[in-house]
Structures are given as C-alpha cells and as structure tokens.
Amino acid sequence: MRHAEALRERVISRSDAPPIARNWVRCASKAPYFETESGAVWTPVGVNEAVTWPNIAPLYRRRDPAAVERYFAMLAASGVNCVRMMLDYSQVSHRHLETRCGRFSPAMVQLWDDLIALGERHGIRFLITPFDTFFMARRWRSHPYSRAAGGPCRSVRQMFTCARTCAAIINRLRFATRRWGHSPAIFGWDLWNEIDSFYSGGDMAAVETFVAEVSDALRTEELRLHGRAHLQTASVYLPVLEKRPELADIAFRHPSLDFASVHLYDRGTIDHPRCSLDPAKATVRLMTKALEQCPPNRPLLDTEHGPIHAFTDHHISLPDDFDTDCFRRTQWAHIASGGAGGGMRWPYRKPHVLLPEMHRAQTVLAQFLPLVDWHRLQRRPLGTRLMAHDFIGLACGCGDETQAVVCLMAAPEQGGKPAALEVSGLEPGSYKVTHVNTVTGERESSQVHTRQDGTLMVLAGAAGQDVALALVRDTTED
C-alpha cells in the first residue's frame, strides 16, 4: 500500500507532471462536452477494461505490474485518455472488492491503488462503476451482498429497495472516494451499470429514489473530503430503454446526474454486423434518438457497444480486418452524430482485448479532435442540412451555424469517385475545412467561402476512402 501512496505523491509533486495531475474534469459551461478545471477541452477517447481481463489481470497481487505499465503507455500513445471499469468483476469469486459486505479486500484495494497511480502517470482517467451487474446477477448466491453469502439482500431484484443493501452500496462508493477520489485520474462515477427497474422489482419510482440518494450521498462525501465532486452518470442499456421508455427520465434527465451515458446495442447491426456500415448507421440512428431525450447542454456518450450477439451466442470473434472497420466507423459515427468522443467498445473478442489496429484508429480520432472548438460546438444533427451528391454510403454530421463535424463512409459501390458535399444553414463567410482520411490519418486543409445563403460546397471522399471533415468559420475577418 505504501508503495502506491508514494508513487502517487511523487507524480503529483513533480513540476513536469502532466495536466491530469492538476485538473479534474467538469462539464463545459456553454456546450454539451467536457473540459478540465483549467478550461482545456477534454474529450473521452476510451476503452472498457476489467480486473480479470488480460491487460489488467497481471496487476492483481502485482504479479506483473510492468506488463500493465506497458499497456497504459500504449493507450496513452494511441490517444486513449479514458478507461471505464467496474470496481470488481463477479465472473470469478476472488475479484470482489469486498470479501464480505463492508470488508474490503486488501489485494483489490492495492490493485486500485496501482491503477490510479498508472492513470495519473500516463494521463488516463477512469470512469468507475461500482459493480459488474452482468455476472453479479448470474452468480448472485456467491456475491458478498447476497443473503446466501452472509450479505443483506435476499434477491438481486431487491437491491434498490432493501435499506441495508442501499446503505452498503453507498458505503462502497464512500470508501472508493475516500481512497481514490482525491485523484484527478477519476473522470467520473457511473452510479449503476445499466440502470433498470429490474433491481427494484419493477418499481420505477424506487429507481429514481435510489439514484437521488446514492448521488447525494456520494456528492456530499466528496464535497466534505475534497471540496468538489466528480461528475456522475447512470448508464442505460438501450434495448431495456426501448422496452421501458420511462427510464429516460432517469438516464437522460435526472437532475442529480451530470451527463448521460448509453450502451448502444442493436439487433442485427451492432450486435452481429454483416457489413461494416451497419453498426455506423445504427449508431447515427440511435444517438439521434438519444439526443432528442437529452437536455441541450448535457453531454451524451456511448460507454459500451460491440458485437455481443456474435460473441456471446455464436461464440465467435469477428474477423480482424472486418471488426476493425466496424470499430473505426462506429467511433466516427458516434462523434459525428453528437456524442462526446468516439464511444467505448466492449471487446467481445478472444482474448478479451481490442486489436492494435483499433487503437491506431483511436489515434486518428484523437488527432482530429483539436480541429474543432468543442467549447462552442452545438451538437445538433445536420439532417437535411447535409447533402452528399454522387455518393453511395453513409453521410452524417452535427453542428451549428459556425461549425460542423461531417463523416463520409463509402460503400463499395462508390469506387474511387469523390462526392460533392453540401452543408446549408451556416453563417455566411470563410470556413477552414480540414479533410482527414479516417484510415490513414492524412489531412488536407483549405479555405472555402459559403454562398450568400450560408451554403458551403466542398469536394470530398476522393479515392473512395472514408473521410471526416471539420468545418470551422474563420472569425479573423469579423
């Protein structure tokens, strides 16, 4: 334990420490995105991880911390700045944060001490959720909170309505912020992985009460300890939201939460794609619907998606090149439809890790981000304001009157033909237009003037490759 504490103190005290050692993340004041306390834009380029998966498992009992150090260095070099993780993972019985309810495992606490230190050292922040609810529900009898294992709760369906269990959940989060909440390596808290009335026996009012009480208890503790509070969300599983639309009041609009996070799964497109355009098209459709339910200035991001049906039910990993194309196109569809960052893929591969090519795709996205002023961008879907002439494939984008992010993803039938791109509804003037090849990262910029009616015309997508465009009005002429 002392080693991790010393490591953390050394990182924070270094004069050349990265910005993460000085700044927490907050919601931007004038746009639905994120920034640091110093006012710098912070856009999550992220991955999902778990304490039992190959990249993190060697840190348990410090079996091979150097391997995990190399992994974090690789993530940072790829532009990844966010890792979403559960505090424990219930697929196995020896990775619980609590050995018994309220009794915290020294080995797991040490693992998280080391993870937080790694995050600080490599400029990577964590979005933390208290439980792995998937395996917790399936292995409930062995869970420390189960009455069968000596815990307070008879059934997983009573977790939100059992007073002793709610107190234990709050105690877990209070412990987490007492131990690690001082650190800017915490991006935020996902108060519950895939919030649902399943955990309250179908009582939706109990879900709303649970979120309010847990949020208030955690925020109060953080203000007491740290003088400020990390951001909060409660993620929602999209298929459940479609069955129980009243969950939107909690996941998207609950007054206690700071940002909204969805898990984008869609039958036959994202969960088992046959064409690499399918998950991208589904992402645009689903994010557009989600934005309609989200307050205008509340950030929205996908924190879990991937080919769950192919992996879980058919026991296959998609072919590497095809899966990489799905990954790459999904992340660009996410950001171009108004999401903060590129979304966070659940690996759904064997071994359970993302491919190196996927991380290279994240590098291209991270290099694109500074081209846009996220402090000001309003994420309205372009809809009919965007026209791609002579183009076969997916054209998507979001923006306002002075900026836009547009992606063109070509179908094979497009061949090598360029497309004429038309964006209307802009303020008349001169725009810097930067084209980025989403595969290679090559870029080209030009100054383009709108017509008097605010319509911008550009030629894009030469050689039939996918391209992302940043359109930013030049204000130096004003």
Side-chain angles (χ1 to χ4, degrees):
M1 302 287 184
R2 290 195 299 271
H3 170 76
E5 293 293 336
L7 208 57
R8 182 158 53 236
E9 290 172 7
R10 186 168 74 248
V11 170
I12 292 175
S13 64
R14 281 173 47 196
S15 60
D16 62 340
I20 193 172
R22 299 184 294 275
N23 289 293
W24 288 24
V25 172
R26 65 191 182 193
C27 294
S29 60
K30 297 181 180 179
Y33 297 99
F34 300 106
E35 65 183 15
T36 68
E37 291 173 318
S38 67
V41 169
W42 186 81
T43 303
V45 179
V47 298
N48 277 281
E49 272 295 349
V51 295
T52 62
W53 294 356
N55 289 319
I56 305 296
L59 204 56
Y60 185 67
R61 298 192 183 278
R62 291 179 172 165
R63 290 196 297 256
D64 190 358
V68 187
E69 179 93 44
R70 289 191 296 271
Y71 174 61
F72 271 72
M74 181 277 294
L75 290 179
S78 301
V80 172
N81 60 9
C82 185
V83 174
R84 179 176 178 268
M85 286 186 65
M86 288 95 174
L87 281 173
D88 56 13
Y89 210 61
S90 298
Q91 189 173 10
V92 295
S93 59
H94 53 287
R95 291 295 188 279
H96 288 134
L97 183 65
E98 296 166 70
T99 54
R100 294 178 65 85
C101 184
R103 186 180 299 171
F104 293 89
S105 161
M108 285 294 291
V109 171
Q110 181 183 75
L111 179 145
W112 273 101
D113 285 347
D114 292 344
L115 277 174
I116 296 299
L118 282 168
E120 291 176 350
R121 195 152 62 250
H122 292 282
I124 293 173
R125 291 179 166 91
F126 294 91
L127 176 58
I128 297 175
T129 191
F131 301 100
D132 155 35
T133 55
F134 181 88
F135 285 111
M136 178 182 73
R138 282 152 185 78
R139 307 186 73 244
W140 175 247
R141 287 185 60 81
S142 64
H143 193 273
Y145 285 21
S146 167
R147 189 170 297 174
C153 199
R154 185 176 63 84
S155 167
V156 70
R157 294 179 63 88
Q158 297 175 349
M159 292 190 77
F160 292 176
T161 55
C162 171
R164 290 178 59 207
T165 303
C166 289
I169 293 167
I170 289 171
N171 181 60
R172 170 179 281 229
L173 287 167
R174 282 175 172 159
F175 174 87
T177 196
R178 285 197 300 270
R179 186 80 188 186
W180 307 296
H182 66 279
S183 176
I186 306 293
F187 158 38
W189 306 102
D190 182 351
L191 299 181
W192 197 262
N193 175 60
E194 299 180 345
I195 196 77
D196 188 9
S197 57
F198 170 81
Y199 302 98
S200 61
D203 184 349
M204 196 63 68
V207 181
E208 187 169 356
T209 299
F210 171 82
V211 170
E213 291 181 351
V214 173
S215 170
D216 180 67
L218 178 58
R219 198 181 304 275
T220 298
E221 184 76 349
E222 293 207 305
L223 290 172
R224 183 184 71 83
L225 292 170
H226 317 305
R228 49 190 171 167
H230 293 287
L231 299 178
Q232 296 180 4
T233 188
S235 56
V236 64
Y237 181 58
L238 202 65
V240 168
L241 179 64
E242 291 172 345
K243 292 178 182 177
R244 293 187 271 283
E246 59 269 35
L247 274 171
D249 285 334
I250 299 167
F252 294 127
R253 298 182 290 274
H254 199 290
S256 298
L257 302 179
D258 301 295
F259 66 97
S261 52
V262 296
H263 292 175
L264 292 182
Y265 292 102
D266 189 59
R267 187 174 180 83
T269 56
I270 293 174
D271 69 357
H272 194 179
R274 301 299 199 276
C275 164
S276 64
L277 277 178
D278 289 347
K281 289 178 179 177
T283 296
V284 172
R285 171 171 51 83
L286 298 172
M287 286 294 291
T288 300
K289 288 173 61 178
L291 282 174
E292 292 172 354
Q293 303 200 61
C294 203
N297 244 31
R298 181 170 289 194
L300 170 68
L301 63 153
D302 154 50
T303 54
E304 190 180 312
H305 70 270
I308 183 173
H309 182 49
F311 182 81
T312 303
D313 299 322
H314 293 280
H315 309 291
I316 61 171
S317 298
L318 299 180
D320 290 5
D321 290 347
F322 175 68
D323 204 9
T324 298
D325 282 345
C326 290
F327 176 95
R328 173 177 54 83
R329 287 178 151 177
T330 298
Q331 73 170 2
W332 286 102
H334 181 270
I335 199 166
S337 53
M344 300 184 193
R345 164 75 179 260
W346 197 264
Y348 295 118
R349 299 192 57 82
K350 193 171 183 180
H352 217 53
V353 298
L354 297 182
L355 296 165
E357 293 80 5
M358 294 175 175
H359 292 304
R360 283 194 280 273
Q362 290 180 305
T363 303
V364 176
L365 177 71
Q367 292 171 344
F368 174 87
L369 293 174
L371 300 174
V372 178
D373 184 357
W374 302 101
H375 280 126
R376 294 189 302 111
L377 180 69
Q378 300 303 309
R379 60 183 176 198
R380 297 188 292 272
L382 292 178
T384 56
R385 291 176 56 196
L386 173 63
M387 298 289 291
H389 304 284
D390 303 316
F391 181 72
I392 305 171
L394 174 63
C396 56
C398 70
D400 50 39
E401 291 74 26
T402 62
Q403 291 189 99
V405 175
V406 176
C407 286
L408 297 181
M409 306 179 200
E413 297 83 357
Q414 181 68 15
K417 296 181 294 183
L421 190 67
E422 179 179 341
V423 181
S424 61
L426 297 168
E427 288 184 2
S430 175
Y431 283 75
K432 182 179 180 180
V433 179
T434 305
H435 304 237
V436 175
N437 184 312
T438 66
V439 177
T440 66
E442 295 177 88
R443 66 173 65 182
E444 179 182 346
S445 296
S446 60
Q447 291 292 127
V448 180
H449 288 266
T450 64
R451 297 196 299 238
Q452 287 186 342
D453 65 358
T455 299
L456 195 71
M457 298 286 295
V458 295
L459 200 64
Q465 292 189 328
D466 293 1
V467 62
L469 298 94
L471 286 64
V472 180
R473 189 175 185 272
D474 185 356
T475 58
T476 59
E477 298 179 356
D478 295 347

